[in-house]
């Protein structure tokens, strides 16, 4: 039996800044159905890797393959992209409906107005995503589904709703792969948990998910698989395997401790006394420093 | 109501009115994109660049519209190319391209004093001197611009909202930018003799800003902006007739008055936040570009 090629594959790929010099290198496989977090500090090259999958950044060496096909220019595969909320122009006169329907921009025919089918899909999506919203926010909005405020301007929504609108814009394309750039930055704790729950549900429905994050405890440790990036892929695997002081030091460039509390994996900046007396904290027994690379291509 | 119908007794008033309403509506249509893409500076510069081309056309015995069209398309593509580069100073490069082109026109005008009269309309607008050809050009350009925006509505909207993400959703953003710059150049050439190069920018920006203050939906903003532009042309024509004032100025001032009213109503109602205005960057009309030292 021939095995289906992985969904995304970076084959010894290197990406450079326009002024030269390597920005990030990657030799990486993301299997179908995965839910992967690209973890690293700012400037580590996480967004560059996302944009490479979108075909917006070309490798200067190696290649990027999507479903076994080398990526050349236009994407043939169905990919949904959710940008960072911070990059969105919230002043723009755009209603929720207008924003979501942009997801069908290339497939909804030549007319300016949406087809009935597109509108129905948009409303169904908004209502589905809105169901995961916490009760008090729904109450504040009069206990109506999100589709009911399709006519609102995008800035007149809560942070969680805004994230859902742009998630809906990506999902209306019926993607196989969903890429999200820092989906949990700038939102409160409950919204973050809701969004991560929503993404897990979408992943259960068969959509592969790749998201970037620099948030160690509240995002990275909750994901099934992580790729630690800092200019190159440092480790790949489940949090238990990659969260070692050595990998975190290599990724974030600072000393960190890893411990478990009530079965939850946690990390923290290493306080000076913990480094001097390591027996005070129960360090997670992970891969030793010299086996740092062994986590790569774990699957 | 005699005051409404009286001016129509004069043949040229009807033609002028048609030109003013069309020019106002067309400016309102493209103005929505210009304002939301924060390109008012480019629109302003492009109109000046095109003027240079029309003077060159005059000297070389080319038709106003043919010369302006060629020069305008070239300038528009050049400006689009420069503005797409991410290097710092793109705005300065655009400034050099457009003002150099404008200066070519000024230089040629100052050399041959005998033909400066012909360019008074291009500088200041002369609606009552509008010819049937001018009206036809305006009709054809308006129809073409409406058709382009109709069929590329979604692509234009996506690129205007977020070009980078639009590209990742399969929109050919480079092509959209080129088409838009050509549409902008065509609209400027068609309205130049009616509104005047120095006042076109106001006609483009004002209706869109007023529309933005009145709605939060892109579709409604586009429709409102066209309507306000056409109304501005309509009202401006009457003010011009009864006040015996240049029509380009009265159309611009009518637009400014509508803006003031809508803005004040918004402030009084307390609905207007700084947010709505923040999206509408209006260039300051640099006095330096006003051809005060040109022998007209």
């Amino acid at each position: 039996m021939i095995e289906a090629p992985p969904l995304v594959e970076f084959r010894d790929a290197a990406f450079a800044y326009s002024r030269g010099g390597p920005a990030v290198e990657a030799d990486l496989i993301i299997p179908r159905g995965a839910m992967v977090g690209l973890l690293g500090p700012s400037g580590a090259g996480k967004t560059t890797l996302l944009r490479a999958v979108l075909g917006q950044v070309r490798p200067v060496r190696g290649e990027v393959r999507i479903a076994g096909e080398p990526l050349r220019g236009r994407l043939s595969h169905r990919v949904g992209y959710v940008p960072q909320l911070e990059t969105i122009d919230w002043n723009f006169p755009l209603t929720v409906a207008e924003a979501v329907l942009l997801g069908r921009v290339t497939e909804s025919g030549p007319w300016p107005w949406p087809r009935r089918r597109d509108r129905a899909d948009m409303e169904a999506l908004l209502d589905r995503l809105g169901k995961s919203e916490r009760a008090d926010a729904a109450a504040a909005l009069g206990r109506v589904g999100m589709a009911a405020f399709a006519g609102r301007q995008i800035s007149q929504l809560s942070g969680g709703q805004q994230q859902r609108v742009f998630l809906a814009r990506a999902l209306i394309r019926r993607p196989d792969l969903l890429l999200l750039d820092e989906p949990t930055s700038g939102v409160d704790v409950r919204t973050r948990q809701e969004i991560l729950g929503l993404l897990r549900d979408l992943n259960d429905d068969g959509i592969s998910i790749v998201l970037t994050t620099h948030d160690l405890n509240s995002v990275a440790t909750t994901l099934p698989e992580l790729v630690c990036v800092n200019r190159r892929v440092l480790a790949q695997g489940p949090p238990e395997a990659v969260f070692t002081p050595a990998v975190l030091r290599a990724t974030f460039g600072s000393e960190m401790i890893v411990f478990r509390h009530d079965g939850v994996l946690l990390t923290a900046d290493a306080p000076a006394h913990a480094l001097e007396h390591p027996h005070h904290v129960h360090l997670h027994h992970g891969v030793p420093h010299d086996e740092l690379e062994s986590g790569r291509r774990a699957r | 109501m005699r005051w409404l119908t009286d001016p129509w007794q004069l043949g040229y008033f009807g033609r002028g009115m048609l030109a003013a309403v069309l020019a106002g509506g067309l400016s309102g249509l493209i103005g929505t994109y210009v304002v939301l893409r924060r390109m008012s500076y480019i629109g302003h510069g492009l109109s000046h660049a095109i003027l240079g081309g029309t003077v060159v056309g005059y000297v070389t015995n080319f038709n106003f519209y043919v010369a302006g069209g060629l020069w305008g398309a070239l300038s528009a593509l050049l400006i689009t190319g420069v503005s797409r580069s991410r290097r710092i100073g793109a705005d300065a490069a655009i400034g050099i391209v457009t003002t150099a082109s404008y200066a070519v026109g000024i230089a040629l005008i100052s050399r041959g004093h005998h033909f400066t009269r012909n360019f008074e309309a291009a500088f200041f607008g002369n609606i009552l001197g509008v010819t049937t050809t001018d009206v036809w050009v305006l009709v054809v350009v308006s129809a073409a611009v409406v058709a382009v925006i109709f069929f590329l509505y979604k692509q234009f909207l996506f690129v205007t909202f977020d070009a980078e993400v639009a590209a990742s959703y399969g929109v050919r953003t480079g092509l959209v930018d080129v088409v838009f710059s050509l549409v902008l150049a065509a609209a400027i050439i068609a309205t130049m003799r009616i509104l005047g190069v120095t006042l076109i920018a106001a006609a483009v920006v004002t209706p869109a800003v007023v529309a933005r203050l009145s709605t939060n939906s892109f579709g409604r903003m586009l429709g409102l902006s066209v309507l306000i532009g056409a109304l501005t042309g309509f009202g401006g024509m009457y003010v011009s007739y009864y006040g015996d004032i240049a029509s380009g100025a009265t159309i611009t001032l009518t637009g400014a008055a509508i803006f003031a009213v809508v803005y004040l109503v918004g402030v009084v109602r307390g609905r207007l936040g700084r947010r709505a205005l923040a999206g509408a960057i209006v260039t300051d009309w640099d006095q330096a570009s006003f051809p005060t030292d040109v022998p007209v």
Side-chain angles (χ1 to χ4, degrees):
Chain A
M1 200 182 102
I2 302 164
E3 209 179 313
L7 188 57
V8 178
E9 191 177 2
F10 288 84
R11 285 193 179 175
D12 190 29
F15 304 91
Y17 292 119
S18 52
R19 287 175 196 160
V24 59
E25 296 173 330
D27 199 23
L28 174 70
I29 285 177
I30 294 169
R32 282 167 204 274
M35 181 163 176
V36 181
L38 302 179
L39 176 70
S42 303
K46 306 183 298 276
T47 304
T48 303
L49 293 183
L50 276 197
R51 293 183 63 202
V53 178
L54 289 166
Q56 289 185 341
V57 181
R58 306 252 173 116
V60 289
R61 190 191 72 217
E63 63 175 357
V64 182
R65 284 173 175 255
I66 309 285
E69 298 285 318
L71 190 59
R72 287 196 194 92
R74 211 140 290 275
L75 275 182
S76 56
H77 229 68
R78 290 188 180 277
V79 179
Y81 174 57
V82 183
Q84 265 190 65
L85 289 187
E86 281 89 349
T87 65
I88 286 164
D89 176 8
W90 296 104
N91 282 322
F92 198 92
L94 197 71
T95 63
V96 170
E98 286 171 329
V100 176
L101 288 165
L102 282 179
R104 286 261 167 96
V105 64
T106 53
E107 48 179 310
S108 56
W111 312 118
W113 46 83
R115 296 174 301 184
R116 197 173 295 172
R117 186 170 12 134
D118 298 331
R119 240 199 127 75
D121 288 354
M122 182 257 307
E123 283 168 4
L125 251 179
L126 284 176
D127 273 339
R128 186 194 156 184
L129 297 179
K131 284 212 176 79
S132 60
E133 202 168 13
R134 60 176 185 259
D136 53 343
L141 291 156
R143 284 194 189 286
V144 288
M146 262 188 78
F149 38 94
R152 285 199 192 192
Q153 201 250 345
I154 47 172
S155 68
Q156 299 169 345
L157 301 171
S158 71
Q161 289 165 342
Q162 288 173 337
Q163 189 59 270
R164 282 172 176 82
V165 168
F166 289 96
L167 197 53
R169 181 178 72 176
L171 290 173
I172 204 166
R173 292 164 71 77
R174 298 177 294 265
D176 305 318
L177 171 63
L178 195 57
L179 305 174
L180 303 101
D181 200 358
E182 298 279 354
T184 54
S185 77
V187 296
D188 60 36
V189 179
R190 282 182 74 168
T191 304
R192 182 171 64 214
Q193 287 170 354
E194 284 168 13
I195 289 167
L196 287 172
L198 204 54
L199 293 178
R200 271 190 286 272
D201 289 348
L202 293 168
N203 187 235
D204 289 344
D205 291 349
I207 300 175
S208 308
I209 292 174
V210 178
L211 59 90
T212 64
T213 185
H214 60 259
D215 193 335
L216 284 161
N217 287 321
S218 45
V219 181
T221 54
T222 68
L223 296 173
E225 178 153 346
L226 293 173
V227 175
C228 294
V229 186
N230 195 345
R231 305 285 178 170
R232 63 194 181 98
V233 175
L234 298 164
Q236 181 176 10
E240 290 76 18
V242 300
F243 269 22
T244 66
V247 171
L248 292 177
R249 186 188 310 118
T251 307
F252 290 96
S254 65
E255 292 300 328
M256 304 190 85
I257 52 172
V258 183
F259 57 100
R260 277 190 179 278
H261 180 74
D262 285 348
V264 179
L265 193 62
L266 292 167
T267 67
D269 294 354
H273 77 273
L275 293 172
E276 288 159 15
H277 310 285
H279 57 276
H280 284 303
V281 284
H282 172 62
L283 287 173
H284 176 71
H285 191 72
V287 199
H289 195 186
D290 55 348
E291 286 173 30
L292 198 147
E293 295 285 313
S294 67
R296 292 173 67 185
R297 290 182 177 269
R299 293 201 180 190
Chain B
M1 296 297 279
R2 287 277 303 275
W3 65 271
L4 262 178
T5 52
D6 269 355
W8 292 83
Q9 313 287 329
L10 305 163
Y12 64 81
F13 187 84
R15 199 164 53 218
M17 181 57 96
L18 182 61
V21 169
L22 274 176
L26 180 60
S27 303
L29 184 61
I30 56 162
T32 303
Y33 297 96
V34 168
V35 166
L36 292 177
R37 295 184 74 170
R38 296 164 197 239
M39 280 173 63
S40 2
Y41 171 72
I42 291 178
H44 190 54
L46 191 56
S47 62
H48 284 68
I50 290 170
L51 185 98
T54 61
V55 178
V56 172
Y58 185 85
V59 173
T60 53
N61 282 324
F62 258 76
N63 176 281
F64 176 90
Y65 289 111
V66 174
L70 288 174
W71 195 284
L74 203 70
S75 313
L77 295 177
L78 202 60
I79 288 171
T80 307
V82 172
S83 61
R84 273 176 82 82
S85 86
R86 292 177 179 278
R87 291 175 63 184
I88 299 165
D91 56 340
I94 291 164
I96 293 167
V97 170
T98 57
T99 45
S101 179
Y102 180 59
V104 169
I106 304 285
L108 289 171
I109 288 173
S110 66
R111 289 264 308 156
H113 289 229
H114 60 283
F115 61 79
T116 52
R117 277 260 150 230
N118 294 296
F119 289 96
E120 225 183 294
F123 275 120
F124 306 113
N126 178 10
I127 228 151
L128 302 183
V130 163
T131 63
T132 315
T133 313
D134 293 336
V135 176
W136 271 113
V137 168
L138 193 52
V139 168
V140 170
V141 168
S142 300
V145 171
V146 167
V148 167
I149 288 178
F150 186 86
F151 288 113
L152 290 176
Y153 176 84
K154 287 171 288 189
Q155 285 84 348
F156 269 38
L157 170 57
F158 210 157
V159 172
T160 305
F161 176 55
D162 191 340
E164 206 162 297
V165 176
S168 70
Y169 276 65
V171 177
R172 301 176 67 182
T173 52
L175 187 68
V176 168
D177 278 348
V178 166
V179 171
F180 182 72
S181 64
L182 294 178
V183 159
L184 181 61
I188 287 172
I189 295 158
T191 53
M192 186 180 279
R193 269 146 84 116
I194 294 146
L195 301 167
V197 68
T198 50
L199 296 173
I200 279 179
V204 167
V205 171
T206 313
V209 172
V210 175
R212 176 66 191 95
L213 294 178
S214 317
T215 181
N216 274 324
S217 149
F218 178 81
R220 278 198 291 276
M221 177 180 169
L222 195 65
L224 260 179
S225 183
V226 172
L227 194 70
I228 292 163
L231 265 176
T232 304
F234 185 84
M237 275 300 282
Y238 277 102
V239 179
S240 171
Y241 178 84
Y242 284 109
D244 196 18
I245 306 166
S247 51
T250 58
I251 291 171
T252 304
L253 290 172
T254 306
I258 294 175
F259 168 78
V261 170
V262 171
Y263 185 78
L264 285 175
V265 167
V267 169
V268 170
R269 283 182 167 187
R271 280 196 303 125
L272 195 73
R274 257 181 293 167
R275 295 181 68 87
L277 257 184
I281 305 298
V282 184
T283 56
D284 58 337
W285 316 120
D286 49 325
Q287 293 300 305
S289 70
F290 199 82
T292 45
D293 49 357
V294 177
V296 179

